């Protein structure tokens, strides 16, 4: 996601809803987003694999990467960088905790093109 693009913070779920080792899919203003807990931090990426069409929230966390359930593309959860199979990186979104909820910074314009 471009850092210069205007963003707004949207509540995704309770902070306790995102568990270690279990990606969680949410839709915020029409944007499919996958949330991941790595130790004490939560990260957010676009939920749709850049290779074809599969939801990464249905994939497998391998260390600090998410593996797509369809053809095995690997993406770094923190940076969205593609590490295998696909050729494009994932959009990532800032996450913060507020009043026990997870807030995700999404583009003001809503859904983004892949
Ligand atoms: S759709 Fe994700 S690896 Fe092909």
């Amino acid at each position: 996601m471009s850092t210069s693009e205007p963003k707004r913070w949207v509540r995704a779920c309770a902070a306790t809803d995102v568990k270690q080792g279990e990606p969680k899919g949410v839709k915020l203003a029409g944007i499919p987003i996958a949330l991941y807990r790595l130790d004490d931090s939560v990260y957010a990426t676009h939920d749709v694999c850049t290779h074809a069409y599969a939801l990464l929230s249905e994939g497998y966390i391998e260390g600090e990467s998410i593996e797509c359930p369809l053809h095995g593309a690997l993406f770094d959860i923190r940076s969205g960088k593609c590490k295998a199979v696909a050729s494009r990186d994932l959009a990532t979104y800032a996450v913060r905790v507020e009043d026990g909820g997870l807030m995700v910074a999404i583009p003001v314009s809503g859904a983004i093109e892949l």
Side-chain angles (χ1 to χ4, degrees):
M1 187 168 77
S2 164
T3 53
S4 60
E5 194 169 2
K7 299 173 195 76
R8 63 186 159 128
W9 291 94
V10 175
R11 184 182 164 100
C13 59
T16 53
D17 286 348
V18 182
K19 315 253 189 259
Q20 189 87 23
E22 296 175 27
K24 178 177 177 62
V26 295
K27 211 165 208 184
L28 302 176
I31 305 173
I33 290 175
L35 299 165
Y36 318 86
R37 179 175 295 281
L38 295 180
D39 297 321
D40 291 334
S41 299
V42 175
Y43 298 87
T45 70
H46 202 275
D47 197 8
V48 179
C49 182
T50 60
H51 179 240
Y53 188 90
L55 295 178
L56 297 168
S57 58
E58 295 175 359
Y60 317 101
I61 293 178
E62 301 286 344
E64 296 178 354
S65 300
I66 181 70
E67 180 181 344
C68 178
L70 198 52
H71 310 110
L74 266 185
F75 301 92
D76 185 291
I77 287 170
R78 290 185 164 103
S79 68
K81 286 269 178 228
C82 177
K83 299 162 121 181
V85 181
S87 56
R88 286 184 295 145
D89 297 339
L90 285 173
T92 59
Y93 308 90
V95 179
R96 74 180 187 210
V97 177
E98 188 176 301
D99 296 330
L102 289 176
M103 306 294 290
V104 179
I106 61 169
V108 167
S109 55
I112 59 171
E113 302 254 336
L114 283 178

